[in-house]
Amino acid sequence: MNTCVLHLLPACLVSPQLQLQTRRKLLNLPSVWEKPIFRSLQIVPSASSSSSTSFSPAGYPEISPGTRPKRKRQIAGIDQEELQDPAILADPDSCFCEFKGVQIHHKIYDAESVATNLSEEGTSSQPPHANKRVNFPMILLHGFGASIFSWNRAMKPLAQITGKKVLAFDRPAFGLTARLNHVNHSSQGSEDTRPFNPYSMIFSVLATLYFIDFLAADKAILVGHSAGSIVAVEAYFEAPERVAALILVAPAIVAPLNLGHVTKDNSSGKSNQTEGEELEVNSKGNWITTVFSILSKVSQYLGQAIMRLVKGMGDMINSLYKKALSAFLRSAIGIMLVRMIIDKFGLAAVRNAWYDPKQVDDHVLQGNTKPLRVKDWDRALVEYTVAMLTDSASESKPPLSKRLSEISCPVLIITGDSDRLVPPWNSERLSRTIPGSCLEIIKNCGHLPHEEKVDEFVSIVDRFLERAFGVQKESHLQPAT
């Protein structure tokens, strides 16, 4: 074939071998250039090109799909590619202790250490509530999504007004307490030897009582904020002899709507029974009445049996629903939804908890988002939610709202007048339900009185302790000269 004609034909219609022979004839190239070494030198990647870049047979570079720069995953501004162990994120005054296989993060302040720090800082003036002493230490319980950071501003002043140790700890799933894989951990051993679910209410209650022993005390004053108030009250009912007083701050406890105690059922039951007996006695001579009485009893028994059957089916459906919901939450989609919710509403919830959102600075935001740097924080939050849904221990007890009237220790309730999360009227109802409780409402304050109005909060607690325990200032005797 004429070589000129070959150049006019499309390259796709001419074989590579024929193209090479034609070029060789035109250029009078020696046959040595047909060797593979020549073909390999036709396309040589430059030294500056990426190692992941490949070349097509036509000589054009191809970029593999995986070479695109990865976009950093962030939740509420926290990079999720570099999650760390809690011990690395701890503060200089942080402490860790093990309780039932869980490393619990906590902090302790006492009056002596606070006074020493003040003297080292050169602060000579003492607050008006200093040098007082209560015979009981104080344990602080944070709310949902919070941590020890929530008590940072109040711990030292509270240690001063009590003269005893003040301890705050991070409940499991929050703060810097270790995240335990409960699903794998609980599958080991029999039912009797399996450890408590660290994300359950009973675990938090037992951990609270453990810290009373940890402080070498017989009793302690429990201070609970929001959902932490539930833990404080449950700890009281678990061991009332270990709780000296309860201080409930913006308590997330649903107050009963009806404050009275209704006993209609028992009386109506007795009256029905009496009427039935009289009916049976008066109907001995009338066979129609006798048959009607028998049919009434049979229908009553059938009705009770149907109600038990319906209740059993309801319990079964409820159990299946809880299992299905738990499985969904633990799935990849459920965890992704939790991360999306925290990312979208986490910072907004922090600001909304304050009366004045403008007062929420970077320090407050960083302190509240620090737990998002802990490994497996999302899975732990899912396990906490699952534990609340499937808490069989709580279902076996009467509702908390029906047991509030049984509290006999001194109780103080503090709330902000502008609380957007737990309305102040709910705290007012609680104060009427709990016998002898005191209610204090802080003006121009939101859901966090111990952060937003620290001085006023501490003063209220100080007055309460004086009334409850007759706290007096310590007398310092001068040495004789």
Side-chain angles (χ1 to χ4, degrees):
M1 184 179 293
N2 194 338
T3 56
C4 297
V5 178
L6 285 175
H7 286 284
L8 296 176
L9 292 175
C12 60
L13 299 179
V14 182
S15 65
Q17 184 177 5
L18 187 58
Q19 290 183 31
L20 187 60
Q21 293 175 358
T22 303
R23 293 192 186 100
R24 187 186 62 187
K25 290 179 180 179
L26 291 174
L27 300 175
N28 295 322
L29 295 175
S31 59
V32 68
W33 292 102
E34 294 180 19
K35 294 185 178 180
I37 188 172
F38 172 73
R39 291 195 296 267
S40 64
L41 293 174
Q42 288 180 347
I43 302 174
V44 180
S46 62
S48 60
S49 63
S50 174
S51 61
S52 61
T53 304
S54 60
F55 289 82
S56 64
Y60 296 103
E62 293 181 347
I63 301 177
S64 60
T67 59
R68 292 183 179 180
K70 289 185 178 180
R71 187 178 180 182
K72 287 187 177 182
R73 294 184 302 163
Q74 291 190 344
I75 303 293
I78 302 299
D79 184 13
Q80 298 297 294
E81 299 292 341
E82 299 178 358
L83 300 182
Q84 298 176 334
D85 292 327
I88 299 176
L89 301 170
D91 299 325
D93 57 348
S94 294
C95 302
F96 290 88
C97 67
E98 183 175 345
F99 175 70
K100 295 189 178 297
V102 180
Q103 291 291 329
I104 299 182
H105 174 238
H106 63 279
K107 292 184 179 181
I108 303 177
Y109 286 97
D110 57 33
E112 295 179 359
S113 62
V114 172
T116 302
N117 292 334
L118 289 176
S119 61
E120 291 177 354
E121 294 172 1
T123 306
S124 57
S125 59
Q126 292 183 337
H129 48 256
N131 297 329
K132 295 187 177 181
R133 182 166 292 278
V134 179
N135 292 327
F136 312 107
M138 187 175 285
I139 296 178
L140 311 178
L141 303 165
H142 63 77
F144 177 84
S147 64
I148 289 177
F149 177 81
S150 180
W151 298 108
N152 275 355
R153 299 182 63 189
M155 286 190 72
K156 291 181 181 179
L158 290 175
Q160 288 179 309
I161 66 173
T162 59
K164 300 288 284 187
K165 291 182 179 180
V166 174
L167 181 145
F169 72 95
D170 289 332
R171 294 189 286 130
F174 306 109
L176 299 184
T177 289
R179 272 57 169 179
L180 188 67
N181 190 339
H182 171 65
V183 177
N184 296 336
H185 194 53
S186 61
S187 62
Q188 301 174 359
S190 61
E191 287 188 20
D192 297 333
T193 60
R194 287 177 189 172
F196 284 105
N197 181 355
Y199 306 107
S200 64
M201 175 60 67
I202 186 61
F203 186 95
S204 294
V205 168
L206 295 179
T208 304
L209 300 177
Y210 162 78
F211 277 111
I212 298 178
D213 295 329
F214 185 84
L215 296 174
D218 295 329
K219 292 185 177 183
I221 301 170
L222 302 184
V223 184
H225 169 247
S226 192
S229 297
I230 303 177
V231 180
V233 174
E234 290 287 1
Y236 169 83
F237 285 118
E238 184 70 21
E241 72 282 357
R242 308 300 306 276
V243 180
L246 290 171
I247 300 177
L248 311 179
V249 186
I253 302 174
V254 180
L257 297 177
N258 187 5
L259 301 180
H261 199 63
V262 181
T263 56
K264 268 185 180 178
D265 295 338
N266 293 336
S267 59
S268 62
K270 290 181 180 178
S271 61
N272 290 338
Q273 185 179 3
T274 304
E275 290 176 1
E277 292 175 354
E278 291 178 355
L279 180 62
E280 187 176 357
V281 172
N282 296 330
S283 62
K284 287 183 179 179
N286 192 337
W287 65 272
I288 297 178
T289 308
T290 303
V291 172
F292 179 77
S293 177
I294 294 173
L295 291 176
S296 298
K297 290 183 178 180
V298 171
S299 62
Q300 184 180 0
Y301 293 147
L302 288 175
Q304 293 176 355
I306 292 173
M307 290 301 296
R308 286 195 295 267
L309 179 62
V310 171
K311 184 179 182 300
M313 292 179 62
D315 294 341
M316 182 183 66
I317 294 174
N318 187 32
S319 177
L320 292 175
Y321 166 75
K322 288 181 178 180
K323 289 182 179 179
L325 183 58
S326 300
F328 171 76
L329 289 173
R330 285 171 172 152
S331 66
I333 298 177
I335 294 176
M336 181 184 66
L337 289 176
V338 169
R339 295 166 70 94
M340 290 174 60
I341 292 172
I342 297 299
D343 184 41
K344 188 172 183 62
F345 302 105
L347 297 180
V350 174
R351 293 188 176 95
N352 197 44
W354 285 62
Y355 168 75
D356 184 7
K358 296 179 181 178
Q359 299 295 325
V360 181
D361 54 16
D362 291 338
H363 174 71
V364 174
L365 293 177
Q366 290 175 7
N368 282 276
T369 57
K370 189 176 184 179
L372 300 180
R373 302 179 185 273
V374 179
K375 292 180 180 179
D376 294 331
W377 67 265
D378 46 0
R379 295 182 181 275
L381 195 57
V382 166
E383 290 299 328
Y384 179 85
T385 307
V386 170
M388 288 194 299
L389 293 173
T390 61
D391 192 356
S392 58
S394 298
E395 293 177 354
S396 62
K397 300 177 182 178
L400 189 60
S401 59
K402 293 184 178 180
R403 293 181 284 157
L404 294 175
S405 59
E406 302 173 7
I407 298 177
S408 59
C409 71
V411 178
L412 170 64
I413 300 174
I414 304 176
T415 186
D417 65 343
S418 302
D419 193 335
R420 304 182 186 93
L421 302 182
V422 179
W425 56 260
N426 185 73
S427 298
E428 294 176 2
R429 284 184 171 273
L430 284 177
S431 66
R432 293 198 298 269
T433 304
I434 301 175
S437 61
C438 305
L439 174 65
E440 295 284 351
I441 301 176
I442 301 178
K443 294 182 179 180
N444 299 328
C445 183
H447 189 60
L448 302 164
H450 54 292
E451 292 189 55
E452 199 169 8
K453 299 281 188 177
V454 183
D455 294 336
E456 193 169 349
F457 170 78
V458 174
S459 297
I460 290 173
V461 174
D462 185 27
R463 293 195 299 268
F464 168 73
L465 296 178
E466 288 182 355
R467 292 193 302 267
F469 305 109
V471 179
Q472 300 294 332
K473 287 189 177 182
E474 289 184 337
S475 59
H476 295 276
L477 300 177
Q478 297 293 332
T481 57

